[in-house]
Amino acid sequence: MSIDQMEAVAQAMVAPGKGIIAIDESSGTIKKRFDAVGVPDSEEHRRAYREMLLTAPGLAEHISGAILYDETIRQSTKAGVPFTQVMKDAGIIPGIKVDLGAKPLAGFPGELVTEGLDGLRARLNEYVELGAEFAKWRAVITIGDDMPSSTCIDSNTHALARYAALCQEAGLVPMVEPEVLMDGDHDIGTCYEVTEATLRSLFAALYEHNVMLEGTILKASMVLSGKDCPEQADTAEVAESTILCLKSAVPAVLPGIVFLSGGQSDADATAHLNEMNRLGPHPWPLSFSYGRAMQQAALHLWAQDLEGNFAAAQKIVVERARDNGLAALGQWKKVA
Ligand code: 13P
């Protein structure tokens, strides 16, 4: 893919009123999600679940792309059509998670660094052959006593920059995801500081590594109060803090920013995105790349009757896509 094509893909990912569905749960994470709703974790169940999501009628109206896992990008519908083909026919851009997970950072107890750079060039080339047009790499930043260390932030952003450069070499749009976790009892101001420091380190690293920002998408966490903080910031404060933080650290040339949901409720994830867009216009489109906040309601229903609730679960995921698509325009209205 040429530079112009990568720019076009990046812009299509954040087209007005559209966002991304993240269905790239690793083997361990999907097992956790299935365990929680009583679905046995088998390859066939994982395939059937992803088929339910990807073939939901009307999904493409508000979904520009979907992030797949290594197993999923090789799978097909029950009728034998490769998922990537189903997606392209529907106008949904295939993406692929390429990191190999966050592992303990040696010398820094409690902190994590994401692995997966060794052999990445060859894996990216294979994913291009399989039909991927963008990739995702997630770094995890934990807030706690004396955490995060600058070593943790810089190790993770260095890896993100090396990944992003390799993606663009292979013709894939890199989605760079430095997730600041909402776990902990820190206040929203602490989340702001950590997020700002992380984003500044990230964009410095991307610059050092000659990554073309015009063909890059940022997947950001929102600036929130820690999950266990006694004082929870309201929607307006989350929206204002997140926008201010992004404006202070993210170059305007970036084609778009999408958010992860990170454990927020469906309602919060949608309301926060909507409020941010109501405060616009901003230098970049702000949209979603939600995993849990797109899927959890549909997963619960599907789990109760895998075949009988297939179509009803699809309707729910399309409703979530519509709500979040409207929130990406600042046009979502809460139903009382
Ligand atoms: P959540 O929206 O569930 O946080 O997942 C998004 C994602 O892809 C994290 O990497």
Side-chain angles (χ1 to χ4, degrees), residues 21-25 33 67 97 99 136-138 175 177 179 219 259-264 289-296:
I21 180 167
I23 58 166
D24 59 329
E25 297 83 6
R33 304 270 186 269
I67 316 173
K97 170 195 176 77
D99 66 73
K136 183 194 100 172
W137 177 289
R138 172 176 177 256
M175 178 187 271
E177 180 183 12
E179 174 173 3
K219 177 159 175 166
F259 293 99
L260 57 100
S261 57
Q264 298 179 58
S289 174
Y290 295 157
R292 282 162 285 179
M294 273 296 301
Q295 298 179 51
Q296 54 207 359

Side-chain angles (χ1 to χ4, degrees), residues 16-308:
K18 290 194 180 194
I20 311 267
I21 180 167
I23 58 166
D24 59 329
E25 297 83 6
S26 62
S27 312
T29 303
I30 194 73
K31 181 176 180 336
K32 237 185 345 190
R33 304 270 186 269
F34 277 6
D35 283 352
V37 293
V39 173
D41 180 38
S42 64
E43 188 190 343
E44 175 49 22
H45 282 153
R46 294 191 295 273
R47 193 205 61 72
Y49 177 61
R50 268 71 180 249
E51 174 168 355
M52 183 276 288
L53 296 170
L54 290 172
T55 62
L59 187 68
E61 208 177 313
H62 294 289
I63 293 294
S64 56
I67 316 173
L68 310 176
Y69 183 57
D70 180 74
E71 176 184 82
T72 321
I73 200 171
R74 302 168 196 280
Q75 288 175 322
S76 302
T77 62
K78 206 171 178 180
V81 186
F83 283 157
T84 48
Q85 190 59 49
V86 172
M87 294 167 72
K88 290 198 177 182
D89 290 348
I92 297 175
I93 306 167
I96 180 75
K97 170 195 176 77
V98 303
D99 66 73
L100 299 179
K103 307 285 158 60
L105 177 64
F108 292 82
E111 299 202 275
L112 301 167
V113 65
T114 300
E115 295 188 349
L117 288 171
D118 288 354
L120 183 58
R121 177 178 275 126
R123 289 198 295 124
L124 294 179
N125 289 333
E126 189 196 5
Y127 290 136
V128 169
E129 292 295 311
L130 288 167
E133 295 184 31
F134 71 97
K136 183 194 100 172
W137 177 289
R138 172 176 177 256
V140 178
I141 307 295
T142 310
I143 299 179
D145 292 342
D146 298 323
M147 290 197 296
S149 62
S150 57
T151 306
C152 173
I153 291 177
D154 294 342
S155 309
N156 274 294
T157 58
H158 176 260
L160 275 163
R162 285 192 57 202
Y163 140 83
L166 282 163
C167 281
Q168 292 186 336
E169 179 191 88
L172 287 164
V173 171
M175 178 187 271
V176 288
E177 180 183 12
E179 174 173 3
V180 177
L181 293 179
M182 61 190 283
D183 299 346
D185 62 2
H186 54 272
D187 60 13
I188 187 169
T190 305
C191 180
Y192 183 104
E193 281 170 25
V194 171
T195 305
E196 185 182 46
T198 302
L199 291 173
R200 289 203 171 154
S201 167
L202 173 63
F203 285 96
L206 293 174
Y207 178 77
E208 289 298 325
H209 287 255
N210 287 340
V211 174
M212 190 198 44
L213 294 185
E214 293 89 332
T216 302
I217 293 287
L218 172 66
K219 177 159 175 166
S221 42
M222 295 182 196
V223 176
L224 303 164
S225 316
K227 216 165 54 187
D228 302 322
C229 179
E231 212 165 296
Q232 289 291 313
D234 63 13
T235 307
E237 194 180 354
V238 169
E240 282 160 21
S241 305
T242 305
I243 296 291
L244 190 62
C245 186
L246 292 172
K247 281 187 180 165
S248 77
V250 180
V253 74
L254 205 77
I257 301 175
V258 293
F259 293 99
L260 57 100
S261 57
Q264 298 179 58
S265 68
D266 290 6
D268 281 354
T270 304
H272 289 151
L273 178 62
N274 190 62
E275 186 59 19
M276 282 188 245
N277 280 304
R278 264 184 10 90
L279 300 173
H282 303 302
W284 345 254
L286 298 180
S287 190
F288 60 95
S289 174
Y290 295 157
R292 282 162 285 179
M294 273 296 301
Q295 298 179 51
Q296 54 207 359
L299 173 61
H300 272 84
L301 187 67
W302 179 75
Q304 288 161 29
D305 184 350
L306 305 193
E307 284 182 17

